[in-house]
Amino acid sequence: MNNFTFIDEELNQLSNQGLKRELKVLASACNPWVELENGKQVLQLGSNNYLGLANHPKLIKASSLASIKFGIGSSGSRLLSGTTSLHIELEKTIANFENTESAIFFSSGYAANLGVLSSLVGKEDAVYSDEFNHASIIDGIRLSCATKFIYKHNDYNHLEQLIKETKNSFKNSFIITDTVFSMDGDIAPLNEIAKIAEEYDCITIVDEAHATGVFGETGSGVVEEYGLSKYFPIRIGTCSKALGVEGGFCAGPKPVIDFLQNKARSFMFSTSPSPSVIGAVLQSLKLISRDKSFKEKLWLNARSLYDNLKQNKELKLNQFKAPIIIIYFDSIKEALMTSNILLNEYNILAPAIRPPTVTIPRIRLTPMASHCKEDLEIVIKAFESKLMLHNI
């Protein structure tokens, strides 16, 4: 009989520290208001469904039509029997969307980062990575077996110092960063990183996960917004956030994408994403390319919510750089209590975010394009209440 005492001890320790997670189970689609498994209706303020497309009827229809034509499952990996004409169309559409030569689609953004970093980067190389980069970037670097250098968050002077001191010892040097950091709502200093990369001959890779569909004239991300495409030719993105579906991608020069098709293990050895997913992603890209109102409404909602919360001097907020609003707390207990009050007293779903995901406990509010003015007023009034102010 197996002895799992060590697991029980670890779980008890997590509970005592306020770090044990419990799943919030939804019984409805990700609309502005969602139903929990107990039947309670709550205002959704904790999702990544920025543009409100996860339940859009056009995406549902496109997903259904793709399933009718190609079936539910893809029935194989991409290199064997899992590539349909839809997959090819999507990759061409992504390349056009990103204004690159080519693109490759992965089953998730996590798989994209693992595949890209573990294949493009090797053990003779150096990687310079922002300390707040996503876990998938960190794990991809680990798999690459490259020498890793962590620079202080968004500190390009520290980045340059590290490169000056170490670069000559390695075959290739890569700089990797998120463009939008989802847990602080801030943006990487891409202009400065571009200058450093050019001066020291470094290869740049950016992850636009929380920028795709949110930034840029066409919605392709911060690189487009800043006009820096030539300095960041390899761009990773996800379809599970603003696009409202799932899957991830890498867009870039054709030789890079051809290389990934032959070397990225998370692409080669994963079952191909289902036709229903591909159909929905294609429709989502068409929607946001043709209709800017989704993005405009998102920014309008986020700006309005932030400006109103900013008037409350009791709240410790981030700077408004992206449609992500962060409320910082001095302790895990305070963050958890506030999240519970929001849920139990005001029917607002806004989970607390704790270590090890972040170092400082916080609540992350993410308004959607589909929220109405009345929805946002509920949140504003909740944080103005005596009950909430007493806890904070």
Side-chain angles (χ1 to χ4, degrees):
M1 184 175 179
N2 291 319
N3 186 346
F4 294 115
T5 303
F6 71 100
I7 292 179
D8 293 333
E9 291 174 353
E10 181 69 20
L11 288 173
N12 288 333
Q13 185 176 354
L14 289 173
S15 295
N16 293 335
Q17 295 172 340
L19 299 178
K20 187 172 182 288
R21 270 68 169 175
E22 300 291 344
L23 299 177
K24 289 284 191 300
V25 181
L26 305 185
S28 67
C30 188
N31 291 310
W33 287 82
V34 296
E35 182 181 340
L36 301 182
E37 62 176 339
N38 60 5
K40 184 174 184 177
Q41 298 288 328
V42 295
L43 182 60
Q44 173 64 279
L45 260 296
S47 82
N48 291 325
N49 186 23
Y50 297 120
L51 301 182
L53 297 179
N55 197 35
H56 195 285
K58 288 187 177 181
L59 271 67
I60 294 173
K61 181 179 179 181
S63 177
S64 298
L65 290 174
S67 294
I68 291 170
K69 182 174 181 179
F70 293 98
I72 295 297
S74 59
S75 304
S77 65
R78 285 290 304 275
L79 295 184
L80 294 180
S81 61
T83 297
T84 69
S85 56
L86 267 185
H87 291 80
I88 301 302
E89 181 184 355
L90 175 58
E91 288 170 338
K92 289 179 179 178
T93 301
I94 291 171
N96 183 62
F97 178 69
E98 291 285 339
N99 195 26
T100 59
E101 290 180 339
S102 191
I104 182 173
F105 192 74
F106 292 82
S107 58
S108 69
Y110 203 106
N113 273 326
L114 257 62
V116 171
L117 293 172
S118 64
S119 55
L120 286 184
V121 185
K123 62 181 179 180
E124 297 178 343
D125 300 329
V127 180
Y128 302 89
S129 176
D130 189 288
E131 68 172 321
F132 284 3
N133 275 340
H134 190 263
S136 58
I137 294 176
I138 295 169
D139 290 350
I141 294 172
R142 286 173 178 165
L143 288 173
S144 75
C145 297
T147 301
K148 176 177 64 177
F149 297 94
I150 305 299
Y151 62 91
K152 297 174 185 176
H153 178 52
N154 281 348
D155 188 339
Y156 55 87
N157 290 318
H158 187 218
L159 168 63
E160 183 174 17
Q161 177 188 341
L162 287 173
I163 293 173
K164 277 183 179 180
E165 294 173 351
T166 62
K167 180 183 183 297
N168 291 335
S169 300
F170 301 95
K171 182 180 179 181
N172 297 305
S173 295
F174 293 82
I175 302 173
I176 173 71
T177 183
D178 284 308
T179 57
V180 175
F181 293 88
S182 66
M183 290 300 140
D184 287 276
D186 55 353
I187 300 173
L190 295 188
N191 282 298
E192 290 78 8
I193 291 174
K195 293 174 185 176
I196 293 170
E198 190 170 40
E199 181 175 351
Y200 296 97
D201 192 27
C202 297
I203 301 168
T204 57
I205 302 175
V206 291
D207 183 356
E208 296 260 40
H210 289 268
T212 303
V214 176
F215 286 85
E217 177 63 27
T218 68
S220 69
V222 178
V223 170
E224 180 194 23
E225 179 109 354
Y226 289 2
L228 295 172
S229 296
K230 72 175 183 178
Y231 299 103
F232 298 95
I234 303 173
R235 302 192 287 278
I236 297 167
T238 182
C239 305
S240 61
K241 297 175 175 55
L243 296 188
V245 196
E246 63 184 65
F249 61 84
C250 178
K254 190 175 187 304
V256 171
I257 303 306
D258 289 347
F259 181 84
L260 292 174
Q261 284 185 354
N262 288 276
K263 290 289 187 178
R265 293 170 67 86
S266 58
F267 173 83
M268 298 168 64
F269 300 109
S270 289
T271 296
S272 173
S274 69
S276 61
V277 167
I278 304 302
V281 174
L282 273 167
Q283 182 60 55
S284 183
L285 287 169
K286 290 175 184 176
L287 268 182
I288 67 172
S289 297
R290 295 170 183 171
D291 189 348
K292 303 295 190 295
S293 67
F294 296 102
K295 185 176 70 172
E296 292 168 358
K297 183 66 186 305
L298 167 66
W299 280 96
L300 182 66
N301 281 347
R303 181 85 251 186
S304 174
L305 180 58
Y306 180 88
D307 287 346
N308 278 279
L309 292 177
K310 188 70 175 176
Q311 296 178 27
N312 187 338
K313 301 306 179 184
E314 301 293 330
L315 299 180
K316 301 171 187 176
L317 300 179
N318 62 331
Q319 290 187 321
F320 187 80
K321 301 289 185 181
I324 297 170
I325 301 168
I326 308 297
I327 304 172
Y328 299 99
F329 296 88
D330 293 330
S331 69
I332 295 170
K333 182 180 179 180
E334 286 179 343
L336 287 172
M337 286 181 63
T338 304
S339 177
N340 287 333
I341 291 172
L342 287 170
L343 180 62
N344 297 323
E345 302 295 331
Y346 300 98
N347 299 323
I348 299 170
L349 182 60
I353 301 171
R354 299 157 278 168
T357 306
V358 293
T359 54
I360 300 173
R362 66 201 64 185
I363 287 176
R364 174 179 176 266
L365 300 177
T366 50
M368 299 185 289
S370 49
H371 280 126
C372 64
K373 182 180 179 181
E374 290 73 21
D375 294 334
L376 302 182
E377 287 176 350
I378 291 172
V379 183
I380 295 164
K381 289 178 180 178
F383 278 100
E384 289 175 345
S385 69
K386 291 182 180 180
L387 181 62
M388 192 68 68
L389 290 175
H390 175 74
N391 178 58
I392 296 172

